[in-house]
Amino acid sequence: MKFYLHWKSTGVFVTARHQGILCLGRLRTGSCPSCLGVCFHSSACWKLRCEMGHTKDTTMYAVSADSKGLDTVVGLLADVVLHPRLTDKEIEMTRMAVQFELEDLNMRPDPEPLLTEMIHEAAYRENTVGLHRFCPTENIAKIDREVLHSYLRNYYTPDRMVLAGVGVEHEHLVECARKYLLGTQPAWGCEKAVDVDRSVAQYTGGVVKLERDMSNVSLGPAPFPELTHIMIGLESCSFLEEDFIPFAVLNMMMGGGGSFSAGGPGKGMFTRLYLNVLNRHHWMYNATSYHHSYEDTGLLCVHASADPRQVREMVEILTKEFILMAGTVDVVELERAKTQLMSMLMMNLESRPVIFEDVGRQVLATRSRKLPHELCALIRSVKPEDIRRVASQMLCRKPAVAALGDLSHLPAYEHIQAALSSRDGRLPRTYRLFR
């Protein structure tokens, strides 16, 4: 809930409004540690763009502004982070916003946010990144100013924060940080943090299922086909390990997308999930690979969707693709995946807000930053044996499975585990005396 309260009322916000500064906020839920951001550019008008973003392990405050306003903007940023008022009216409005998001989550035709939560819950049962990101409905009314201050006191500490700036002189930024952040007493007081969760992620594997009628999820008059969504994941590695780059290349090599994706350069139409899955099985609506990486763990997973009656066949196709990851790697497909990964990296870093996020995340996690040419060199050095090695290590772990929709034809978890332990990825045959 706290993260819906970002960019709310503070003393500086009131002053800023009187000065005619335009503030645009995008608010989401999230978790700590925090990354404060300042992104400056040349502009003819005095204008601010204030944003807040998050992942499961990081919260970011970002401001884009005219390059002449560094002092004012850092002061505003510090005030928003350290001195939120958290009035009763703001908290009540936030409760309503959280309630709306929870209802909207269950009504969306796009199941990806919910499936992502489910696969993490299955992979890290009741610990760290496996805990719910979304607030349970029964807890909404329990969160008040005291609870929020307790959270901020524990997690908004100097050792968990990074101030990053793009397009600004380093010494000037350091001077502003000393002025507005050093020695400042936050709104929640100076008591020492207690009950800080410093546990390390424990991969467990498992299955999370949610039976749901998906036959009426269309937002318009045209009916949307009823689909069952399956996501299968295996533990990879953290972004601090050397194998992080080979896993990133493997994820790009798997690729995938929706069956109605338009083709074209850079769309990944020659990735394995397109060539081996979507192009060969017309009844599959989606097959996409994802790689989630954190400071102490990682998760590579594949999401697929199809008609409920073909779920078993769809799951077997996915398990076969996982087994093939540790098989022969064609040099051409590997070079294509590496080139596409480098292309995406360089294209994203053309945007200053993305550069800020890259700087902040890397420094927050590693206390240093790898430059783009260093990352490209690491990507180029990946060899076919690296892909086979990391894939083989990954297949030794128990799978995590998330299933959403009509699950009457979903294979047993033990059968999925057996398929991923076999040589060909086939599910064990089942025999029925009566149908």
Side-chain angles (χ1 to χ4, degrees):
M1 180 184 283
K2 170 64 184 74
F3 305 96
Y4 277 91
L5 292 165
H6 293 312
W7 302 110
K8 294 292 186 180
S9 61
T10 69
V12 175
F13 253 104
V14 175
T15 305
R17 287 172 181 165
H18 286 307
Q19 292 177 349
I21 298 174
L22 175 62
C23 298
L24 304 176
R26 290 195 297 125
L27 311 176
R28 298 288 187 270
T29 57
S31 59
C32 272
S34 297
C35 183
L36 315 182
V38 187
C39 179
F40 286 91
H41 54 84
S42 299
S43 177
C45 60
W46 173 226
K47 185 177 290 188
L48 287 181
R49 179 177 176 84
C50 307
E51 298 187 0
M52 182 267 172
H54 77 97
T55 61
K56 271 184 169 288
D57 59 347
T58 308
T59 297
M60 292 174 294
Y61 299 76
V63 180
S64 297
D66 186 276
S67 56
K68 298 176 183 178
L70 176 61
D71 189 273
T72 302
V73 168
V74 174
L76 173 61
L77 193 63
D79 201 59
V80 167
V81 175
L82 300 177
H83 302 105
R85 292 177 61 193
L86 304 180
T87 64
D88 292 339
K89 182 178 180 181
E90 290 173 348
I91 293 176
E92 185 57 36
M93 292 294 292
T94 300
R95 290 193 182 109
M96 295 172 62
V98 173
Q99 183 67 46
F100 172 80
E101 177 169 303
L102 294 177
E103 294 175 0
D104 177 67
L105 184 67
N106 294 320
M107 296 171 62
R108 290 180 184 177
D110 176 21
E112 184 185 336
L114 185 56
L115 276 172
T116 300
E117 286 299 298
M118 292 170 63
I119 195 68
H120 279 82
E121 183 183 354
Y124 305 94
R125 182 75 65 175
E126 297 181 355
N127 77 90
T128 58
V129 293
L131 301 176
H132 286 287
R133 189 182 68 177
F134 301 106
C135 179
T137 305
E138 61 272 15
N139 289 350
I140 295 177
K142 300 177 183 178
I143 300 177
D144 54 19
R145 193 167 186 265
E146 183 179 348
V147 172
L148 294 171
H149 274 182
S150 175
Y151 173 83
L152 293 170
R153 186 180 303 111
N154 289 338
Y155 294 99
Y156 275 39
T157 55
D159 60 305
R160 304 171 72 91
M161 292 186 180
V162 168
L163 177 64
V166 175
V168 60
E169 291 293 334
H170 177 74
E171 292 303 325
H172 193 187
L173 182 61
V174 172
E175 180 183 340
C176 293
R178 287 174 177 161
K179 179 178 179 181
Y180 294 106
L181 294 171
L182 191 62
T184 302
Q185 180 172 336
W188 48 89
C190 295
E191 295 89 346
K192 288 186 178 181
V194 294
D195 299 329
V196 178
D197 183 6
R198 301 186 184 277
S199 56
V200 178
Q202 301 294 321
Y203 181 84
T204 61
V207 59
V208 172
K209 298 185 286 187
L210 181 58
E211 290 268 4
R212 177 176 293 178
D213 181 10
M214 304 289 287
S215 61
N216 191 27
V217 297
S218 176
L219 297 179
F224 195 80
E226 181 181 2
L227 301 176
T228 295
H229 301 270
I230 304 296
M231 190 175 281
I232 299 177
L234 292 166
E235 186 181 25
S236 57
C237 71
S238 81
F239 54 67
L240 300 177
E241 299 178 44
E242 293 182 357
D243 285 340
F244 172 67
I245 298 297
F247 269 114
V249 174
L250 173 60
N251 178 61
M252 190 61 63
M253 192 170 70
M254 297 306 296
S259 59
F260 297 103
S261 239
K267 290 293 288 186
M269 303 300 284
F270 287 92
T271 58
R272 286 190 176 187
L273 292 180
Y274 265 114
L275 292 177
N276 300 344
V277 178
L278 294 174
N279 288 356
R280 296 183 181 181
H281 307 283
H282 65 90
W283 44 268
M284 289 187 65
Y285 282 76
N286 180 71
T288 310
S289 176
Y290 298 94
H291 187 218
H292 306 279
S293 194
Y294 306 98
E295 189 174 2
D296 50 10
T297 187
L299 187 67
L300 190 144
C301 46
V302 177
H303 166 217
S305 57
D307 185 277
R309 293 167 295 183
Q310 295 175 298
V311 168
R312 180 180 175 83
E313 186 176 355
M314 176 178 66
V315 169
E316 186 170 81
I317 290 170
L318 295 187
T319 55
K320 288 180 179 179
E321 287 302 313
F322 270 104
I323 296 299
L324 290 174
M325 290 182 190
T328 303
V329 178
D330 184 72
V331 176
V332 174
E333 71 170 343
L334 178 60
E335 289 302 317
R336 182 186 294 117
K338 293 194 291 185
T339 302
Q340 189 171 357
L341 182 58
M342 289 186 288
S343 175
M344 290 180 62
L345 172 66
M346 301 308 293
M347 182 181 67
N348 289 335
L349 291 177
E350 290 179 0
S351 168
R352 282 193 173 184
V354 176
I355 296 174
F356 142 71
E357 183 177 339
D358 176 63
V359 172
R361 284 180 182 276
Q362 289 200 48
V363 174
L364 190 64
T366 67
R367 303 302 176 187
S368 63
R369 186 201 177 203
K370 282 188 171 68
L371 297 175
H373 71 271
E374 296 177 285
L375 293 172
C376 288
L378 291 172
I379 294 171
R380 291 191 191 96
S381 67
V382 175
K383 300 177 181 179
E385 51 265 31
D386 296 323
I387 300 297
R388 292 194 296 269
R389 174 176 53 80
V390 298
S392 298
Q393 293 174 356
M394 182 176 64
L395 287 167
C396 293
R397 307 304 298 272
K398 291 176 60 178
V401 180
L404 174 66
D406 181 351
L407 307 181
S408 55
H409 294 276
L410 177 69
Y413 174 78
E414 293 75 16
H415 289 181
I416 298 175
Q417 186 175 1
L420 290 171
S421 301
S422 67
R423 292 186 176 183
D424 56 8
R426 291 182 179 274
L427 292 168
R429 300 298 95 184
T430 57
Y431 302 96
R432 297 181 180 178
L433 295 177
F434 304 99
R435 293 186 179 273

